[in-house]
Amino acid sequence: MLRPLEVLFAFQCRFLKSLCGRTSVAATAQLFLAESHKFAVYIDYCGTYHWLCDLLERLKADSAWPNVEDEFQQKMAQYSDKRRLGLRDFLIKPVQRICKYPLFLKELLKYTDVRLESSTFDELNQALTLLKGVCEGVDQVQQRIDSLRLRNTLLSSYCDSPELPLHVVAKLGEVVLSGPLYIAGCSDKGLEPLRPLGCVLFKLFLLILKPRRSGILVPQFWFPLHTMQVTDDGLVHSWQLQHVKSGQFMVFQASSPHEKQIWTDALKGAIVDSTAY
């Protein structure tokens, strides 16, 4: 698991050494374009970043850790007089750095005349496109890791139910989106009062949970998405999730129009995918 960190460190040292030797924008553009495909090592590293952070937390429980940390700080003091940084601060640096490279290239593009330096402008644009792709790859890895963490948290806190057993929930796959929403059911007596519940959206399934004070999550409602449709009720914060055949529906309310947009987009996308599936 340390291999991606070692590969990234070796690449970054070589790249920065080459970059320091470039004295013109044209030469810098050529370097970025030539090396852009190698920036994929950042994607591999970001896939192990959280594992490294977890490992670091486990190591801190060791009685020898304070001595290791002191030795690390003494070595760092030889190279930098900046504020005291811990190991975790250094682990996040590559994740932050890869996002800065496209910004750097955008600045170079801003001051490159497309008419007088067309070749350099094109090379900068190509390098920018490729590095944006790397950043998108990093985001996708981060989303998958977040999804797995959410799934593990759900499974560890889930209250097993005969109607929806834990082993069934465990087979629902990755979490697409989760969070609290206000929800109201609709009965023969009309619309019920809104109440806060937890929602977990999987690729083919929506699970609604009631959290207890103990931290246990109790299943309240669940829907296979291929049987549902999203209906906008015209209100700023809410929408309806309706069963296609019966016409029965539930009202969902978000805390803001932006949150509503995120949820409705995710639900509609999942419904389309589940119907195709």
Side-chain angles (χ1 to χ4, degrees):
M1 294 299 287
L2 292 175
R3 178 64 178 167
L5 178 59
E6 295 169 350
V7 172
L8 174 60
F9 181 73
F11 163 72
Q12 194 61 60
C13 287
R14 291 195 304 269
F15 180 77
L16 289 178
K17 185 177 180 180
S18 299
L19 186 60
C20 289
R22 307 289 163 142
T23 58
S24 68
V25 174
T28 301
Q30 291 168 4
L31 175 64
F32 268 96
L33 186 57
E35 298 288 320
S36 56
H37 66 285
K38 297 179 182 178
F39 280 87
V41 297
Y42 276 92
I43 299 176
D44 296 334
Y45 172 77
C46 291
T48 61
Y49 164 72
H50 291 283
W51 179 87
L52 292 171
C53 289
D54 291 342
L55 174 61
L56 188 59
E57 291 303 312
R58 292 196 297 271
L59 290 173
K60 286 181 178 180
D62 194 294
S63 59
W65 177 255
N67 294 331
V68 174
E69 193 167 32
D70 287 343
E71 183 180 351
F72 171 77
Q73 291 296 341
Q74 289 172 13
K75 288 184 177 180
M76 288 299 99
Q78 299 174 14
Y79 301 100
S80 174
D81 58 356
K82 295 182 179 180
R83 63 183 177 86
R84 186 182 177 90
L85 296 176
L87 272 170
R88 194 184 186 98
D89 298 313
F90 283 96
L91 290 176
I92 191 65
K93 288 294 183 183
V95 182
Q96 296 170 336
R97 173 170 288 175
I98 189 58
C99 299
K100 292 180 179 179
Y101 280 126
L103 298 177
F104 173 66
L105 292 176
K106 283 183 180 179
E107 282 297 304
L108 292 180
L109 273 169
K110 189 187 300 184
Y111 297 103
T112 302
D113 192 317
V114 65
R115 293 168 300 177
L116 300 178
E117 303 169 276
S118 59
S119 177
T120 298
F121 190 90
D122 289 343
E123 288 172 340
L124 285 172
N125 247 330
Q126 292 177 51
L128 177 59
T129 299
L130 291 169
L131 280 173
K132 282 182 176 178
V134 172
C135 291
E136 289 172 3
V138 169
D139 287 342
Q140 290 170 4
V141 168
Q142 182 63 52
Q143 289 171 9
R144 285 198 297 271
I145 292 172
D146 289 343
S147 172
L148 288 172
R149 285 177 170 248
L150 285 170
R151 180 177 178 276
N152 291 338
T153 299
L154 169 64
L155 295 179
S156 64
S157 305
Y158 185 77
C159 181
D160 206 355
S161 164
E163 293 82 9
L164 188 63
L166 177 61
H167 71 84
V168 173
V169 177
K171 295 178 181 179
L172 294 178
E174 293 184 6
V175 174
V176 176
L177 184 63
S178 69
L181 293 169
Y182 283 90
I183 301 173
C186 189
S187 65
D188 295 337
K189 298 179 180 180
L191 196 63
E192 299 171 354
L194 288 165
R195 54 178 175 150
L197 294 170
C199 297
V200 183
L201 176 63
F202 298 90
K203 289 183 177 180
L204 306 175
F205 206 83
L206 177 66
L207 175 59
I208 301 174
L209 304 148
K210 180 179 180 180
R212 289 180 178 171
R213 290 184 179 179
S214 61
I216 297 298
L217 300 173
V218 183
Q220 298 290 295
F221 310 99
W222 48 91
F223 312 102
L225 291 170
H226 71 276
T227 65
M228 311 301 290
Q229 66 181 9
V230 175
T231 304
D232 195 331
D233 56 13
L235 300 178
V236 176
H237 294 159
S238 62
W239 68 93
Q240 296 176 2
L241 188 63
Q242 185 178 50
H243 188 263
V244 175
K245 289 187 177 180
S246 69
Q248 292 183 321
F249 65 90
M250 298 184 75
V251 174
F252 291 73
Q253 182 174 296
S255 60
S256 68
H258 178 65
E259 186 180 37
K260 173 185 175 178
Q261 191 68 53
I262 291 173
W263 270 100
T264 53
D265 286 349
L267 282 165
K268 289 176 181 177
I271 288 171
V272 170
D273 292 343
S274 65
T275 304
Y277 186 85

Short mmCIF file of all heavy atoms in Angstrom, two decimals, residues 138-148 174-175:
data_model
loop_
_atom_site.label_atom_id
_atom_site.label_comp_id
_atom_site.label_asym_id
_atom_site.label_seq_id
_atom_site.Cartn_x
_atom_site.Cartn_y
_atom_site.Cartn_z
N VAL A 138 -9.19 11.62 -9.84
CA VAL A 138 -9.01 11.73 -8.38
C VAL A 138 -10.37 11.88 -7.70
O VAL A 138 -10.65 11.24 -6.68
CB VAL A 138 -8.10 12.92 -8.04
CG1 VAL A 138 -8.13 13.21 -6.53
CG2 VAL A 138 -6.67 12.64 -8.48
N ASP A 139 -11.25 12.72 -8.27
CA ASP A 139 -12.59 12.92 -7.71
C ASP A 139 -13.39 11.62 -7.71
O ASP A 139 -14.10 11.31 -6.74
CB ASP A 139 -13.34 14.00 -8.49
CG ASP A 139 -12.82 15.40 -8.22
OD1 ASP A 139 -12.14 15.59 -7.19
OD2 ASP A 139 -13.08 16.30 -9.05
N GLN A 140 -13.28 10.86 -8.79
CA GLN A 140 -14.02 9.61 -8.88
C GLN A 140 -13.54 8.60 -7.84
O GLN A 140 -14.36 7.90 -7.22
CB GLN A 140 -13.88 9.03 -10.29
CG GLN A 140 -14.61 9.82 -11.36
CD GLN A 140 -14.28 9.38 -12.77
OE1 GLN A 140 -13.54 8.41 -12.97
NE2 GLN A 140 -14.82 10.08 -13.75
N VAL A 141 -12.23 8.55 -7.64
CA VAL A 141 -11.69 7.66 -6.61
C VAL A 141 -12.18 8.08 -5.23
O VAL A 141 -12.58 7.25 -4.41
CB VAL A 141 -10.14 7.68 -6.65
CG1 VAL A 141 -9.56 7.00 -5.41
CG2 VAL A 141 -9.64 6.97 -7.90
N GLN A 142 -12.16 9.40 -4.99
CA GLN A 142 -12.63 9.93 -3.70
C GLN A 142 -14.11 9.59 -3.48
O GLN A 142 -14.50 9.21 -2.38
CB GLN A 142 -12.43 11.44 -3.67
CG GLN A 142 -12.84 12.09 -2.35
CD GLN A 142 -12.00 11.62 -1.19
OE1 GLN A 142 -10.78 11.66 -1.25
NE2 GLN A 142 -12.65 11.15 -0.15
N GLN A 143 -14.91 9.70 -4.53
CA GLN A 143 -16.34 9.39 -4.41
C GLN A 143 -16.56 7.91 -4.10
O GLN A 143 -17.42 7.57 -3.28
CB GLN A 143 -17.06 9.78 -5.70
CG GLN A 143 -17.19 11.28 -5.91
CD GLN A 143 -17.71 11.64 -7.28
OE1 GLN A 143 -18.14 10.77 -8.05
NE2 GLN A 143 -17.65 12.92 -7.62
N ARG A 144 -15.76 7.03 -4.73
CA ARG A 144 -15.89 5.60 -4.46
C ARG A 144 -15.50 5.28 -3.02
O ARG A 144 -16.16 4.48 -2.34
CB ARG A 144 -15.03 4.79 -5.43
CG ARG A 144 -15.61 4.72 -6.84
CD ARG A 144 -14.99 3.59 -7.63
NE ARG A 144 -13.57 3.77 -7.83
CZ ARG A 144 -13.03 4.41 -8.85
NH1 ARG A 144 -13.80 4.96 -9.76
NH2 ARG A 144 -11.72 4.52 -8.98
N ILE A 145 -14.44 5.92 -2.53
CA ILE A 145 -14.00 5.68 -1.16
C ILE A 145 -15.04 6.19 -0.17
O ILE A 145 -15.38 5.51 0.81
CB ILE A 145 -12.64 6.36 -0.90
CG1 ILE A 145 -11.55 5.66 -1.71
CG2 ILE A 145 -12.29 6.34 0.59
CD1 ILE A 145 -10.21 6.36 -1.69
N ASP A 146 -15.58 7.39 -0.43
CA ASP A 146 -16.62 7.94 0.44
C ASP A 146 -17.84 7.02 0.45
O ASP A 146 -18.45 6.80 1.50
CB ASP A 146 -17.03 9.33 -0.04
CG ASP A 146 -15.95 10.38 0.21
OD1 ASP A 146 -15.05 10.11 1.02
OD2 ASP A 146 -16.02 11.46 -0.41
N SER A 147 -18.18 6.48 -0.73
CA SER A 147 -19.32 5.58 -0.83
C SER A 147 -19.10 4.32 0.01
O SER A 147 -20.00 3.86 0.72
CB SER A 147 -19.57 5.21 -2.28
OG SER A 147 -20.55 4.20 -2.40
N LEU A 148 -17.90 3.76 -0.07
CA LEU A 148 -17.59 2.55 0.70
C LEU A 148 -17.61 2.83 2.20
O LEU A 148 -18.10 2.01 2.99
CB LEU A 148 -16.22 2.01 0.29
CG LEU A 148 -16.14 1.36 -1.10
CD1 LEU A 148 -14.70 1.04 -1.47
CD2 LEU A 148 -16.99 0.09 -1.14
N GLU A 174 -22.82 0.03 -3.84
CA GLU A 174 -22.27 1.30 -3.38
C GLU A 174 -23.38 2.31 -3.09
O GLU A 174 -24.44 2.29 -3.71
CB GLU A 174 -21.33 1.89 -4.44
CG GLU A 174 -20.06 1.09 -4.66
CD GLU A 174 -19.13 1.76 -5.65
OE1 GLU A 174 -19.42 2.90 -6.08
OE2 GLU A 174 -18.11 1.14 -6.02
N VAL A 175 -23.07 3.20 -2.14
CA VAL A 175 -23.98 4.29 -1.81
C VAL A 175 -23.77 5.42 -2.81
O VAL A 175 -22.64 5.89 -2.99
CB VAL A 175 -23.75 4.80 -0.38
CG1 VAL A 175 -24.61 6.03 -0.09
CG2 VAL A 175 -24.04 3.70 0.63
#
